[in-house]
Amino acid sequence: MRNESESGGTELVDPYCLKEGEADRLLAGHPWQRFVALGDSVVEGLGDPVPGYLDRPWVDRLAADLRRHGPDLVYRNLGRRNTRAALVRSTQLDKALAFGPDLALVSCGGYDTLVAAFDEERVAAELRAVVAALRESGSTVITVSMIDSSRSPQLPAGVRQRFASRLRALSDATTEIARDLGTLHIDLFDHPVGDADNLLSADGRHANRRGHAIAAAEAVRAIGAYLARPELRNGAA
């Protein structure tokens, strides 16, 4: 169980972060044994440390929480910074499938929003292909619409305006794919913390460790809600 000495007092009183014992309650009895994560820097876990918050990327935190209730869980993170969605599919998907996961997390397209020519239909097609292949392999797939960083007052107004429509398009496409392919979807896009002035790292692109703590908390809560579904409790799925 995570304790105050591990994560720091600030995180424990943050209204958006996990409460003591919350992850243990929500994840107890989960069925997964092989967890793989694919994507760009969001999955790799870039972000500045923040005093009072655990200095660990959000996907790694999720894996650690899952491992507490499945000590034999094997975890592999394939995420790499500066990786467009097409490259995630061409360089990470085969490795992920060879790993034989029963749980896979996919978050990509964020880096595509930063390049000059953003082709939202191409990005959506690449993301759909990755998710479909993992679903066809029998994996439970987690998809993510990340927090809308264009709302952050830490960014200049011109930057916020430039990326708002791209980030919304990526979020909408991810949500549609999640609905079509039956993923376990974590929708953080309109999370109220997006307006906070202490969420981003110094580069203005990546969430800091407070943002990672919040993303990890919402991931645990979404998985807990998924595990609580009656058909799963009754062994029908």
Side-chain angles (χ1 to χ4, degrees):
M1 181 179 297
R2 188 178 300 113
N3 55 44
E4 186 166 350
S5 64
E6 185 180 6
S7 60
T10 305
E11 181 176 329
L12 289 174
V13 298
D14 189 313
Y16 298 117
C17 293
L18 291 170
K19 305 299 183 289
E20 190 74 18
E22 186 176 2
D24 296 309
R25 175 175 57 83
L26 293 173
L27 300 180
H30 78 76
W32 300 296
Q33 297 181 322
R34 299 184 69 80
F35 175 30
V36 69
L38 303 80
D40 51 26
S41 58
V42 169
V43 172
E44 181 182 356
L46 300 189
D48 293 346
V50 177
Y53 291 82
L54 187 65
D55 188 11
R56 185 182 299 171
W58 73 283
V59 183
D60 292 357
R61 292 179 62 138
L62 175 59
D65 285 335
L66 289 167
R67 186 174 286 129
R68 280 204 309 279
H69 297 284
D72 295 330
L73 180 83
V74 182
Y75 165 57
R76 186 173 184 189
N77 189 324
L78 300 173
R80 293 294 180 270
R81 68 195 73 184
N82 302 334
T83 303
R84 297 176 71 167
L87 200 58
V88 170
R89 183 170 67 87
S90 65
T91 64
Q92 298 179 21
L93 179 56
D94 285 347
K95 294 176 183 177
L97 292 171
F99 178 73
D102 52 6
L103 179 66
L105 183 148
V106 182
S107 179
C108 62
Y111 184 64
D112 294 79
T113 68
L114 301 174
V115 302
F118 174 60
D119 186 339
E120 61 184 80
E121 292 185 0
R122 173 71 185 279
V123 170
E126 297 289 355
L127 176 59
R128 183 179 291 271
V130 171
V131 173
L134 290 162
R135 290 288 290 136
E136 289 168 6
S137 75
S139 294
T140 300
V141 177
I142 301 171
T143 48
V144 188
S145 291
M146 293 303 296
I147 295 170
D148 178 12
S149 59
S150 73
R151 294 185 286 140
S152 172
Q154 294 175 257
L155 299 179
V159 174
R160 295 201 301 271
Q161 294 168 0
R162 188 180 318 127
F163 291 112
S165 62
R166 293 183 173 194
L167 294 172
R168 172 62 71 179
L170 178 60
S171 174
D172 289 347
T174 304
T175 301
E176 180 179 344
I177 290 166
R179 182 178 61 248
D180 292 347
L181 298 181
T183 74
L184 195 171
H185 188 55
I186 304 168
D187 189 355
L188 304 179
F189 190 77
D190 292 317
H191 196 289
V193 81
D195 295 332
D197 61 2
N198 63 345
L199 192 72
L200 296 182
S201 298
D203 64 7
R205 292 169 51 184
H206 299 99
N208 60 26
R209 289 305 186 228
R210 181 181 186 232
H212 281 259
I214 293 168
E218 297 299 345
V220 166
R221 290 165 183 153
I223 292 171
Y226 173 84
L227 292 171
R229 286 163 43 182
E231 65 269 29
L232 295 179
R233 288 201 306 268
N234 296 334

